[in-house]
Amino acid sequence: MRFIRVGDPGLERPGVEVGDGRFVDISDVVDDIDGAFLASDRIDEVRTLVAERVGTGAVQSLEGLRLGAPFARPHQILCIGLNYRDHAEETGQPVPDEPILFTKAPNTLIGPNDDVQIPRTSTKTDWEVELGVVIGRRASYLESEEEAEACIAGYVTVNDVSERAFQIERGGQWSKGKSCPTFNPAGPYLVTPDEVGDVLDLGLWLDVDGDRKQNSSTAQMIFSPAFIVKYLSQFLTLEPGDLINTGTPPGVGMGFTPAQFLRGGEEIRLGISGLGEQRQRVLA
């Protein structure tokens, strides 16, 4: 299924996208697409309900409606750095032996087509298309990647917006270059694993003002999503609804010579095969 959340910020209601720009509203049976729902084992129940409503014509158009992030604000957003070999090379850093972990403030989460705001004093705001993993059950000390896969509720397109001067030049950890307001557009869909197919064979792309900057595949990942979930569970407890951003391929602004950064006024478009596309205006 492709879960969505529709409505104004803070007033989103849950639904399921059913193709052709239509959706089924499930807000009468599901409070929200949040950790409690994802951990409740109600996916099959909702799938049956949606099929019944499609059969009776109880569908609505998405035209003119705002899409929020397809899951509610998570307990935590965890991010993996340098998870594509050629991206590590373009940044001049060694390919990691283990996943590089940093965190991102949960309140950075916005809808897939919401505006991205450049922070005050920013000089190096950058883009990053990424595969996001949403956790569906509590996970701690997982023993295998098969166990890890069973803990994944679904996958989502993410733009891991970054401010490179804050991240790299201001000392300390990366988080302060990752946690500015609006720095985590997500969606449009949270897609359940059964509809994704081979998660290590998904195309990723990102354009700025129509110019293709990133164009790669999850096949280039150093660490797979299942490995990342298993690995992280050895150090912390993953909760239902948590988001993991799994890293970006080459083509980020800091990788160009000279570097290219967002100034305001640009349009970013990005997408992942089967997970949908995003479009953001960049505001100075």
Side-chain angles (χ1 to χ4, degrees), residues 36-165:
F37 169 70
L38 295 173
S40 68
D41 294 325
R42 295 184 61 201
I43 301 294
D44 287 340
E45 171 195 335
V46 172
R47 182 179 285 109
T48 299
L49 173 70
V50 169
E52 292 173 352
R53 292 184 174 180
V54 169
T56 60
V59 298
Q60 302 178 40
S61 172
L62 285 168
E63 186 175 358
L65 298 180
R66 172 188 174 269
L67 289 173
F71 51 94
R73 176 172 166 174
H75 162 258
Q76 58 186 343
I77 298 177
L78 302 168
C79 304
I80 304 300
L82 305 179
N83 194 28
Y84 288 73
R85 184 176 302 274
D86 38 10
H87 173 55
E89 293 171 352
E90 78 170 345
T91 62
Q93 301 185 68
V95 174
D97 295 323
E98 297 187 47
I100 295 173
L101 172 65
F102 59 93
T103 63
K104 192 161 192 164
N107 63 2
T108 59
L109 189 71
I110 61 172
N113 304 317
D114 290 345
D115 296 337
V116 168
Q117 300 174 347
I118 292 181
R120 294 180 184 179
T121 75
S122 169
T123 58
K124 297 181 179 180
T125 296
D126 205 346
W127 56 81
E128 296 187 29
V129 60
E130 300 198 11
L131 174 69
V133 175
V134 178
I135 298 300
R137 63 182 64 176
R138 204 163 193 258
S140 180
Y141 296 113
L142 299 175
E143 295 184 356
S144 69
E145 293 185 29
E146 288 73 24
E147 280 187 289
E149 289 176 348
C151 293
I152 296 174
Y155 299 93
V156 61
T157 301
V158 166
N159 187 357
D160 178 23
V161 185
S162 307
E163 212 297 336
R164 304 301 190 186

Side-chain angles (χ1 to χ4, degrees), residues 191-244:
V191 184
T192 52
D194 60 294
E195 291 202 15
V196 173
D198 185 356
V199 74
L200 291 178
D201 189 26
L202 303 178
L204 305 86
W205 59 272
L206 182 145
D207 295 346
V208 179
D209 289 337
D211 184 16
R212 183 63 44 99
K213 302 296 186 182
Q214 294 184 274
N215 190 21
S216 188
S217 167
T218 55
Q220 302 301 316
M221 279 185 169
I222 299 168
F223 307 108
S224 71
F227 180 89
I228 290 168
V229 171
K230 174 181 178 291
Y231 178 87
L232 294 181
S233 78
Q234 310 307 309
F235 305 98
L236 49 87
T237 298
L238 299 170
E239 299 286 359
D242 284 353
L243 171 65
I244 304 171

Side-chain angles (χ1 to χ4, degrees), residues 1-68:
M1 280 189 296
R2 296 186 297 275
F3 289 108
I4 60 173
R5 295 168 70 245
V6 179
D8 294 334
L11 299 174
E12 296 94 344
R13 64 187 190 275
V16 175
E17 196 270 348
V18 293
D20 298 325
R22 303 176 305 154
F23 77 106
V24 171
D25 191 318
I26 59 171
S27 59
D28 58 326
V29 294
V30 174
D31 290 334
D32 207 347
I33 308 302
D34 56 11
F37 169 70
L38 295 173
S40 68
D41 294 325
R42 295 184 61 201
I43 301 294
D44 287 340
E45 171 195 335
V46 172
R47 182 179 285 109
T48 299
L49 173 70
V50 169
E52 292 173 352
R53 292 184 174 180
V54 169
T56 60
V59 298
Q60 302 178 40
S61 172
L62 285 168
E63 186 175 358
L65 298 180
R66 172 188 174 269
L67 289 173

